């Protein structure tokens, strides 16, 4: 039997790009990346295979959480990590465009010096 974990999403929160063919949504464009961001007015269901559900229940139990809260926390953390990664990549691209980068051989030399200590 497959069960669903309900995840309520705050409409004012920023949610990463998702395929939402089955969900009603409004499309917004935010920030520098101008990625499509969807605000959901309702809840969401995620279906897991029995194996994944069992593993999820085990991890949740080991961490003193219910599976729904574990999923919410994990997804929130993943979205924050992805946002930081995208910000870092954009910062790196901007630095490279300004000529603020280190040549490959200089990087290798720095690494060699680190291991000589």
């Amino acid at each position: 039997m497959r069960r669903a974990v309900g995840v309520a999403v705050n409409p004012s929160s920023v949610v990463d790009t998702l395929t939402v063919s089955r969900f009603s949504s409004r499309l917004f464009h935010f920030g520098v990346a101008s990625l499509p961001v969807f605000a959901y007015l309702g809840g969401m269901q995620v279906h897991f295979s029995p194996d994944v559900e069992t593993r999820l229940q085990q991890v949740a139990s080991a961490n003193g959480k219910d599976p729904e809260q574990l999923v919410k926390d994990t997804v929130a953390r993943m979205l924050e990590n992805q946002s930081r990664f995208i910000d870092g990549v954009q910062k790196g691209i901007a630095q490279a465009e300004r000529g603020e980068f280190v040549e490959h051989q200089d990087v290798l030399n720095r690494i060699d010096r680190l291991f000589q200590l």
Side-chain angles (χ1 to χ4, degrees), residues 45-66:
Q45 289 188 5
V46 179
H47 299 275
F48 298 102
S49 68
D51 179 55
V52 171
E53 182 180 337
T54 299
R55 290 171 44 207
L56 177 61
Q57 289 172 348
Q58 290 170 346
V59 172
S61 177
N63 288 286
K65 296 182 179 183
D66 64 42

Side-chain angles (χ1 to χ4, degrees), residues 87-102:
D87 290 345
V89 168
Q90 290 174 338
K91 180 180 177 183
I93 290 170
Q95 288 174 326
E97 288 173 348
R98 291 190 306 267
E100 300 171 1
F101 55 88
V102 179

